[in-house]
């Protein structure tokens, strides 16, 4: 079938828009910020990803309004302070992440609500999630206003430059790699569904141009 999402985002037979269910899996941007008067905030965003390696850059979209009206605290804080922290969500923190996704009053500390321990960063003011497998300290590069939603809700793209990285020692292998099986990172699917990365396979890139034969899959198990 074919449909134009500007005409109808969920034509029959869909009961929900299928868009987010087919751009998957998406990493979860667990974003920590702090207001200009020192109030921490932590919230997960499913429109998130790395967009460059050198220099390392991240981007996410804090779309929509705060339930009390106005900008979401994350966007407001970054606009004022020009800083944020990305925390990597492992499976062991799924419940705490979910708590921070819920409605909270302006200025309320979601780390406290979720029972998370905070730790100071080295180069930015927002705290990081102490027990996260990794945390990236970021300075704001650019805020881009995107087209509004069908009902006038705002959409925004926040681009940050990574200026510091914290990594838990126990997720680093003896070969100097990240052991993804120890982190078991969460990923966002559609609806209220999530996935976890606990296995992977490797495909070596072709050595030259043209239709090189694909090497056999090497399972991580």
């Amino acid at each position: 079938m074919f449909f134009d999402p500007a005409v109808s985002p969920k034509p029959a037979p869909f009961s929900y828009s299928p868009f987010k269910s087919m751009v998957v899996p998406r990493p979860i941007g667990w974003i920590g910020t702090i207001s200009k008067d020192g109030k921490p905030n932590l919230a997960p965003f499913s429109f998130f990803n790395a967009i460059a390696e050198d220099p390392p850059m991240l981007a996410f979209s804090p779309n929509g309004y705060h339930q009390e009206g106005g900008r979401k605290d994350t966007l407001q804080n970054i606009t004022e302070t020009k800083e944020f922290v990305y925390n990597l969500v492992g499976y062991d923190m799924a419940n705490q992440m979910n708590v921070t996704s819920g409605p909270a009053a302006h200025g309320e500390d979601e780390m406290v609500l979720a029972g998370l321990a905070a730790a100071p960063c080295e180069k930015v003011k927002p705290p990081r999630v102490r027990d996260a497998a990794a945390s990236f300290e970021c300075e704001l590069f650019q805020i881009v206003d995107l087209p509004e939603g069908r009902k006038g809700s705002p959409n925004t793209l926040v681009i940050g430059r990574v200026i510091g990285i914290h990594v838990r020692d126990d997720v680093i292998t003896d070969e100097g790699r990240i052991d993804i099986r120890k982190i078991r990172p969460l990923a966002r699917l559609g609806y209220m569904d999530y996935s976890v990365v606990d296995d992977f396979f490797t495909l070596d890139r072709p050595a030259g141009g043209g239709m090189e034969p694909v090497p056999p899959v090497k399972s991580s198990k």
Side-chain angles (χ1 to χ4, degrees), residues 11-215:
F14 297 112
S15 53
Y16 299 91
S17 169
F19 171 71
K20 292 189 293 184
S21 302
M22 295 185 291
V23 185
V24 292
R26 301 187 305 278
I28 299 170
W30 211 10
I31 306 298
T33 60
I34 196 167
S35 67
K36 62 181 180 182
D37 54 357
K39 295 180 180 179
N41 183 268
L42 179 67
F45 296 90
S46 70
F47 291 117
F48 164 85
N49 221 319
I51 57 172
E53 181 181 14
D54 183 20
M57 309 282 287
L58 302 175
F60 74 99
S61 292
N63 300 327
Y65 295 106
H66 190 278
Q67 68 273 5
E68 295 177 353
R71 287 179 163 186
K72 291 185 174 180
D73 286 348
T74 300
L75 181 57
Q76 184 64 33
N77 293 346
I78 294 174
T79 300
E80 293 174 348
T81 67
K82 316 302 183 189
E83 297 176 336
F84 65 93
V85 180
Y86 156 63
N87 302 279
L88 176 56
V89 185
Y91 181 75
D92 60 331
M93 291 186 170
N95 289 333
Q96 291 97 323
M97 180 279 298
N98 195 41
V99 170
T100 65
S101 73
H106 277 304
E108 191 160 10
D109 189 343
E110 286 85 357
M111 280 204 198
V112 173
L113 289 176
L116 293 164
C121 285
E122 297 289 333
K123 303 177 75 173
V124 299
K125 292 181 180 178
R128 59 188 174 90
V129 176
R130 185 193 65 188
D131 297 323
S135 296
F136 294 6
E137 301 183 17
C138 302
E139 62 180 11
L140 176 65
F141 175 75
Q142 188 176 3
I143 294 177
V144 181
D145 291 328
L146 303 176
E148 291 183 348
R150 290 162 59 88
K151 297 182 179 179
S153 60
N155 290 309
T156 307
L157 178 69
V158 175
I159 304 172
R161 178 170 181 164
V162 180
I163 58 174
I165 299 176
H166 303 259
V167 184
R168 261 193 0 238
D169 293 339
D170 66 290
V171 303
I172 305 173
T173 69
D174 293 338
E175 294 78 24
R177 296 188 174 211
I178 296 296
D179 190 341
I180 209 69
R181 286 163 293 192
K182 288 185 177 179
I183 300 174
R184 303 187 73 201
L186 286 187
R188 195 70 165 88
L189 304 177
Y191 317 115
M192 294 294 106
D193 299 332
Y194 294 81
S195 183
V196 60
V197 180
D198 53 13
D199 191 25
F200 58 89
F201 61 88
T202 300
L203 288 176
D204 294 328
R205 290 184 180 179
M211 296 295 293
E212 298 282 345
V214 177

